[in-house]
Amino acid sequence: MRLSELQNGQKAMIVKILGHGAFRKRVIEMGFVRGRLIEPIMDAPLKDPISYSILGYNVSLRRAEAAMIEVELASDNVEAEVSAPMIKVETTERPVAEAGRRVINVALIGNPNCGKTSLYNCLSGATEHVGNYSGVTVDVKDTEFEYNGYTIRLIDLPGTYSLAAYSPEELFVRRYLRDNCPDIILNVVDASNLQRNLYLTTELIDMDRSMVIALNMYDDLRRSGAQLDYEILGKMIGVPMVPVVARNAEGISDLLDNIVQVFEGRSRSVRHIHVSHGHDIEQALRELIDIIKRDGKISPVVSPRYLAIKFLEGDKEVDKLLQDSPSYDLLKQTCTRWRTDIERLTGEDITASIASAKYGFIDGALAETYVDGDKDKHRSTSLIDRVVTHKYFGFPLFLLIMLLIFWATFFFGQFPMDWIDSGVALLGSLAGEYLPDGILKDLICDGIIGGVGGVIVFLPNILILYFCISFMEDTGYMARAAFIMDKIMHRIGLHGKSFIPLIMGFGCNVPAIMATRSIESRSSRLITMLINPFISCSARLPLYVLLAGVFFSKYAAIVFFCMYFGGVAVAVVTAKILRKFVFRKDETPFVMELPPYRMPTLRATLKHSWSKGAQYLRKMGGIILVASIAVWALNYFPRHEQPVDHTSESSAIDLRYDSFLEAGGKFINPVMEPLGLNWRASVAVLAGVPAKEIVVSTLGVLYTEDAEAEHASLGQRMTSVGPSGEPGITPASALALMVFVLLYCPCFATIAAIVKESGSWHWGAFSVVYNTVVAWLLAFGTYHLASFFL
């Protein structure tokens, strides 16, 4: 029978993985090998995908992929076959540290969700974001710190399940290890999920590099009642193991001591072992290794055994590396002959055989050193999942959570926002009272305080929004959001994993676009990049707070909700269009781990929220300050003179000259006038192209010239008729302005991210043109509909 036919609660033994390609290789590496017990535990609300329990963790598969896995029913008391430890010891001398060399390059490598970034933050004191789902670390981060006379350079590599060439992260990590040769590999392992995590460890052992294992989240293992003799396990596999808890810095000193000992060649646990893959495969490997060693240029750089294993598996990257070898033809012939013989003997392909051997090695090692606890470590996760992924409650709960976030952002942010607003007003009045009249006074009062002060008042709202999103990420709920949304994402031609970068876009579109690297399919990755700017980032939040507070104060949370989900709706339609007319149909498999829920520490969540707030404040003192001064100058010059012609007693002719900014605004205003926007709003929209926060700061500068409204709030000044007779902003035009700013061309940083991640400036140009056209059309429709109803 097929895995998709199992009912929740039924257990089965894996017999065979059907099909071929990336999906097959991925699930085999994640433990879907012959003889493994697997159990479906829950369906998504739309019955697809399905969450399965295997090797002590949960993983999601679509029904179509589950139908490619052949299983047979197993009784409750059946256990998967555990092999004896297959360890072949081959003692080699590690190189002793160079005399006088005091820098240790340490590369952090581990599975997604193993706490690698938490450990990086703990060791370095950095404040990188820690999320309880895959794809948080999407780029290399490095830092340096001093320890016992050494400078330790720490490199945080993307999370990866293996060293295959399945995903960009895996390929990047492997190339980094090959090209940079770090002194020590710090393999971060989730201590509560050893079977799955140690698969990557076996591949690192194949590479024959100096290594230390950090058994992170060791407190979870203790709470489950399990026992692990990590010292014996470390000696068995030839790698020192150190239990740590990165959240509270437990075991960090021991970990650093072991790194230094391994670097200096003093660790007693270090020895080189071979993970035996069985008689036939080992014979093939020996023959391939002998041939590879003949090429003196390759073997000193990369372990010949590692190359032989990957070449036997048919790894394209290794095949490309060996193509220049004089013995390539002999290697190919030998490999083909052995692969054919082994697959005929075992009845399964070579990749599955190698993966089975590695998991057999892990099982055997743990059988002698690990005793499972009697406490169900996933009980709380299962109970929570029954609610948050329920077929009836899952979607409404998600929408309710988002609505509550928007309500909290506006309601709780209003009080400190009023305090800051009062402080800005007081500062402006003091500056106006004590500074002498002249250009400097106008610059400080109207340009700096009016511009920057108009934006800084929204800092509390930014902090609250980031706090809520960070909390959702840290708990593991984001992975469930991707799980329940996968079927909907699949219908628009995307992957459930695309949902996480879209949610991240609520904070900032730039890291969200970088997070698309965790999506294996290039077409799905590109579509997710291009629709991400429609997701309303925090830079647009000040405008929403300003206009919703002035025109829709009783319904502010609903307006917020409509803006954010309006952007999502446009993103969905755009994805459908791109999938249908630009990119061919993509059937990317949905294989995603569902990590256990974890309660984040208040300190970590607050630290992450404040790091984003500090980033916002830096913008205040940087681009927004410069932009506010530039806008003020363009609006100030040429000087406003108002000579009046008294030759006629019946009328006075106003000969006032427009400022540069007003002239430019009136020039482009015919394009924006159909949206109900005056020249000031048109200028603000244009000024917001580099960064969306500048929209509000520009409005703050432009609406300070009315002397009669000097003590009025920005919202009050915006609703009044301007001194030159232009109409104020109405509720209908306010909605149109919000819609246009939500959807029009991305900021410069987002455009640069699209160009960099897509590898082509064409997609950046497409985003600018397409987004602006869509924004104008929808803002036009919004204005006229709102004018009719309001």
Side-chain angles (χ1 to χ4, degrees):
M1 67 183 299
R2 301 299 171 86
L3 182 59
S4 57
E5 299 172 30
L6 280 183
Q7 301 299 313
N8 288 350
Q10 286 185 311
K11 292 183 179 180
M13 199 81 75
I14 294 176
V15 176
K16 187 187 299 184
I17 310 295
L18 306 175
H20 59 87
F23 164 75
R24 187 172 190 278
K25 185 169 180 58
R26 163 55 75 231
V27 295
I28 286 174
E29 290 171 346
M30 294 184 75
F32 286 71
V33 294
R34 181 190 295 174
R36 290 288 161 186
L37 278 176
I38 188 167
E39 177 185 358
I41 56 175
M42 64 180 178
D43 299 347
L46 297 180
K47 299 295 183 182
D48 203 12
I50 306 169
S51 177
Y52 294 94
S53 176
I54 183 172
L55 291 176
Y57 73 104
N58 297 344
V59 64
S60 296
L61 299 176
R62 289 182 183 144
R63 287 187 179 274
E65 279 97 41
M68 297 169 62
I69 300 174
E70 191 175 312
V71 298
E72 61 181 23
L73 286 173
S75 60
D76 291 338
N77 59 352
V78 172
E79 296 291 342
E81 180 181 351
V82 177
S83 305
M86 296 183 288
I87 303 173
K88 179 181 177 182
V89 178
E90 180 182 293
T91 304
T92 58
E93 293 295 328
R94 293 289 189 190
V96 179
E98 298 173 24
R101 185 162 177 259
R102 309 299 293 178
V103 177
I104 308 177
N105 294 306
V106 180
L108 266 72
I109 299 177
N111 286 188
N113 307 313
C114 70
K116 182 169 54 62
T117 305
S118 293
L119 184 60
Y120 174 86
N121 291 340
C122 181
L123 288 168
S124 65
T127 55
E128 295 295 341
H129 181 210
V130 179
N132 193 15
Y133 60 87
S134 63
V136 175
T137 306
V138 293
D139 207 346
V140 174
K141 298 181 287 290
D142 65 88
T143 187
E144 290 184 357
F145 60 92
E146 301 297 320
Y147 184 77
N148 282 358
Y150 282 99
T151 298
I152 296 182
R153 181 169 178 256
L154 202 62
I155 305 101
D156 185 18
L157 298 176
T160 175
Y161 289 106
S162 72
L163 296 179
Y166 175 72
S167 69
E169 287 87 1
E170 291 170 342
L171 197 55
F172 178 86
V173 170
R174 193 165 73 176
R175 287 175 176 172
Y176 183 90
L177 293 178
R178 182 190 70 197
D179 300 336
N180 294 275
C181 296
D183 299 312
I184 303 291
I185 291 175
L186 180 51
N187 180 203
V188 186
V189 168
D190 180 353
S192 64
N193 197 346
L194 291 169
Q195 280 183 303
R196 203 278 318 280
N197 278 246
L198 288 175
Y199 184 88
L200 175 61
T201 305
T202 63
E203 292 200 304
L204 293 171
I205 288 172
D206 292 335
M207 295 193 83
D208 189 18
R209 297 291 182 85
S210 296
M211 183 163 57
V212 175
I213 294 175
L215 295 169
N216 196 20
M217 294 182 274
Y218 203 76
D219 53 337
D220 287 350
L221 182 143
R222 287 194 298 251
R223 275 196 299 270
S224 70
Q227 296 179 0
L228 174 68
D229 192 335
Y230 57 87
E231 292 183 350
I232 295 296
L233 181 59
K235 290 177 180 178
M236 288 174 68
I237 67 175
V239 181
M241 289 184 157
V242 183
V244 299
V245 181
R247 287 195 298 268
N248 57 20
E250 179 184 336
I252 296 302
S253 295
D254 288 342
L255 181 64
L256 292 172
D257 287 341
N258 273 271
I259 289 173
V260 171
Q261 288 170 13
V262 171
F263 179 73
E264 294 177 345
R266 296 187 292 107
S267 176
R268 296 182 179 180
S269 298
V270 172
R271 61 177 180 169
H272 180 54
I273 69 165
H274 284 168
V275 178
S276 176
H277 298 87
H279 179 265
D280 295 317
I281 293 178
E282 287 299 326
Q283 272 194 301
L285 292 176
R286 278 194 292 272
E287 194 167 336
L288 291 170
I289 289 169
D290 289 341
I291 299 172
I292 292 171
K293 284 182 175 178
R294 296 174 193 169
D295 190 335
K297 295 181 180 178
I298 296 176
S299 56
V301 178
V302 186
S303 164
R305 181 175 176 82
Y306 172 79
L307 291 176
I309 293 170
K310 289 299 177 184
F311 195 68
L312 193 60
E313 287 183 318
D315 188 287
K316 293 180 181 179
E317 181 83 1
V318 170
D319 187 282
K320 184 178 179 181
L321 179 67
L322 295 175
Q323 278 180 0
D324 295 333
S325 173
S327 306
Y328 177 76
D329 291 337
L330 179 59
L331 275 170
K332 200 72 175 175
Q333 293 170 8
T334 305
C335 186
T336 302
R337 170 169 51 83
W338 275 108
R339 187 184 297 139
T340 303
D341 291 345
I342 292 169
E343 290 179 352
R344 187 181 66 252
L345 287 170
T346 61
E348 59 182 0
D349 70 14
I350 195 71
T351 301
S353 297
I354 290 175
S356 295
K358 288 185 182 297
Y359 277 110
F361 166 82
I362 294 167
D363 283 342
L366 292 178
E368 296 190 14
T369 57
Y370 177 77
V371 179
D372 203 357
D374 55 0
K375 298 178 183 178
D376 185 359
K377 60 186 177 183
H378 297 296
R379 185 170 181 271
S380 58
T381 292
S382 300
L383 290 174
I384 298 172
D385 276 340
R386 289 178 187 177
V387 177
V388 300
T389 63
H390 192 274
K391 62 180 179 180
Y392 297 128
F393 304 143
F395 283 112
L397 181 62
F398 173 72
L399 296 176
L400 178 62
I401 288 172
M402 298 306 296
L403 185 59
L404 284 173
I405 288 175
F406 301 141
W407 173 82
T409 299
F410 188 83
F411 181 79
F412 292 111
Q414 186 66 45
F415 303 104
M417 189 177 79
D418 290 341
W419 301 335
I420 297 175
D421 194 22
S422 300
V424 171
L426 177 62
L427 182 63
S429 63
L430 289 175
E433 182 178 349
Y434 291 103
L435 288 175
D437 291 340
I439 187 172
L440 179 61
K441 175 181 177 179
D442 293 340
L443 169 62
I444 294 174
C445 294
D446 299 340
I448 297 176
I449 297 177
V452 177
V455 181
I456 201 172
V457 296
F458 303 106
L459 176 63
N461 307 91
I462 299 289
L463 291 174
I464 292 170
L465 178 66
Y466 270 116
F467 180 87
C468 295
I469 291 178
S470 175
F471 185 81
M472 290 171 63
E473 292 171 348
D474 296 347
T475 58
Y477 179 74
M478 283 297 196
R480 272 67 183 185
F483 174 72
I484 65 177
M485 290 295 294
D486 178 67
K487 192 164 187 177
I488 294 176
M489 302 299 289
H490 192 49
R491 285 175 178 171
I492 66 173
L494 289 176
H495 192 290
K497 283 186 178 179
S498 297
F499 190 68
I500 288 177
L502 296 181
I503 290 291
M504 290 177 68
F506 287 132
C508 179
N509 295 140
V510 175
I513 288 170
M514 294 172 65
T516 59
R517 297 178 192 175
S518 63
I519 304 170
E520 291 83 6
S521 164
R522 174 168 170 76
S523 62
S524 292
R525 197 159 59 246
L526 278 171
I527 293 175
T528 308
M529 284 181 211
L530 295 175
I531 67 175
N532 206 288
F534 290 125
I535 304 303
S536 187
C537 68
S538 60
R540 285 112 155 170
L541 183 64
L543 184 70
Y544 301 159
V545 175
L546 173 65
L547 297 182
V550 173
F551 297 101
F552 313 101
S553 57
K554 293 182 179 179
Y555 310 102
I558 296 175
V559 172
F560 272 42
F561 188 87
C562 291
M563 285 296 116
Y564 279 85
F565 278 86
V568 172
V570 174
V572 167
V573 173
T574 301
K576 288 283 287 185
I577 293 171
L578 290 172
R579 179 60 75 189
K580 186 171 184 179
F581 297 107
V582 181
F583 300 99
R584 60 186 176 85
K585 190 175 181 181
D586 178 44
E587 293 292 343
T588 306
F590 182 73
V591 183
M592 183 174 180
E593 181 186 355
L594 294 179
Y597 290 101
R598 292 191 173 94
M599 179 57 68
T601 62
L602 180 63
R603 179 176 176 271
T605 305
L606 287 174
K607 181 181 283 189
H608 176 232
S609 303
W610 175 244
S611 70
K612 295 300 181 183
Q615 183 180 352
Y616 186 73
L617 287 174
R618 284 193 293 272
K619 274 190 176 182
M620 299 299 103
I623 185 172
I624 292 176
L625 175 61
V626 173
S628 297
I629 294 173
V631 168
W632 170 84
L634 292 172
N635 191 47
Y636 190 81
F637 297 104
R639 296 296 302 273
H640 296 328
E641 304 291 345
Q642 292 185 319
V644 179
D645 186 354
H646 295 286
T647 59
S648 172
E649 295 181 0
S650 61
S651 64
I653 302 173
D654 186 357
L655 301 178
R656 182 177 63 87
Y657 295 105
D658 289 345
S659 67
F660 293 127
L661 202 60
E662 186 170 353
K666 290 177 178 177
F667 177 77
I668 65 170
N669 196 231
V671 178
M672 306 301 290
E673 199 169 12
L675 312 183
L677 304 182
N678 57 32
W679 71 267
R680 299 171 194 257
S682 300
V683 169
V685 165
L686 186 62
V689 172
K692 298 297 181 283
E693 295 96 338
I694 299 176
V695 173
V696 172
S697 67
T698 301
L699 291 172
V701 172
L702 295 178
Y703 278 98
T704 55
E705 67 174 21
D706 188 356
E708 295 180 3
E710 182 179 353
H711 299 292
S713 67
L714 175 57
Q716 292 171 330
R717 296 197 298 268
M718 290 171 62
T719 58
S720 61
V721 176
S724 57
E726 79 277 2
I729 294 178
T730 65
S733 59
L735 284 175
L737 179 56
M738 284 191 280
V739 169
F740 191 83
V741 172
L742 164 68
L743 301 174
Y744 82 127
C745 74
C747 69
F748 285 172
T750 301
I751 296 169
I754 291 173
V755 172
K756 179 183 177 183
E757 296 300 320
S758 66
S760 171
W761 65 267
H762 296 90
W763 293 119
F766 170 85
S767 188
V768 170
V769 175
Y770 175 82
N771 291 25
T772 304
V773 171
V774 168
W776 193 94
L777 292 173
L778 291 181
F780 177 84
T782 299
Y783 174 69
H784 288 281
L785 280 174
S787 297
F788 179 78
F789 288 106
L790 298 178

